[in-house]
Amino acid sequence: GMTPSDESCSEVFASMRNLVRASSAFTKGQVDSKALALLLSDKLCAYPREKQPEQPERYVLLGYLELLEILLQQSPGDVMPTKLGTDLVHAFMSEFLFAMPVDDKDCVAICDTPATRQAAFSVLAAYLNMSKEGYEQVLSTLGSLSAMAGRHMHSSWGLQVSSDVKMSDIAFSGLKNQGCTCYMNSLLQQLFMNVAFREAVLNTEIP
């Protein structure tokens, strides 16, 4: 069998992806999409949640995720009834991509390499493309994660760094970093300096 660190399994998964992408494979019975969906659901639901040993890439996890993305595009009806499919947004947002401490114990995201994180985001995007309710689920989960993160970081991250303080000779004032908002702050500040965008937002009527 393949181990999570087995780089050669990439070739196996590449062959499987090509087969699944071929729509004729479903009609000819070469691929049992329901069985494949159940298999991927079982494998991903059972994937270890604790921190894994350091390694260049998690090839088996990456292979599962890439197959799941294609299956969501080709045959979403077979994915949705599975254990993973019924709770896909929550599982990917709260376990595969982000993880919050539980009972003061640190948790790590299952996807902890650039490639697996990109693959997980692609799975989420494929799901959102065919699920109107998915967007609301994502926003709801982000709200819950943000509230949880705020409770954990308020005391340890609510600091004012001296270099963040506005200098008297600087015309603009930046946004205070709340602990993990530096990227969002940068984006908002860039958008603010786009005059057309800023005026469009400021001139928008509030219902």
Side-chain angles (χ1 to χ4, degrees), residues 89 93 124-143:
V89 170
M93 296 288 290
L124 199 56
Y127 177 84
L128 294 179
N129 282 336
M130 44 75 61
S131 172
K132 294 181 180 179
E133 298 80 12
Y135 287 96
E136 295 181 2
Q137 294 173 356
V138 167
L139 292 175
S140 176
T141 305
L142 282 175

Side-chain angles (χ1 to χ4, degrees), residues 2 12-13 16 20 31-47 60 63-65 67-68 71 78-79 82-85:
M2 296 181 296
V12 176
F13 280 112
M16 294 176 67
V20 174
V31 175
D32 186 337
S33 56
K34 290 183 179 180
L36 180 58
L38 286 171
L39 174 65
L40 292 174
S41 173
D42 291 343
K43 293 294 186 182
L44 289 171
C45 286
Y47 199 86
V60 172
Y64 291 152
L65 293 171
L67 271 177
L68 180 60
L71 201 57
D78 293 325
V79 177
T82 65
K83 180 180 178 181
L84 180 64

Side-chain angles (χ1 to χ4, degrees), residues 112-129:
D112 59 353
T113 65
T116 54
R117 292 186 66 78
Q118 179 60 55
F121 276 116
S122 296
V123 168
L124 199 56
Y127 177 84
L128 294 179
N129 282 336

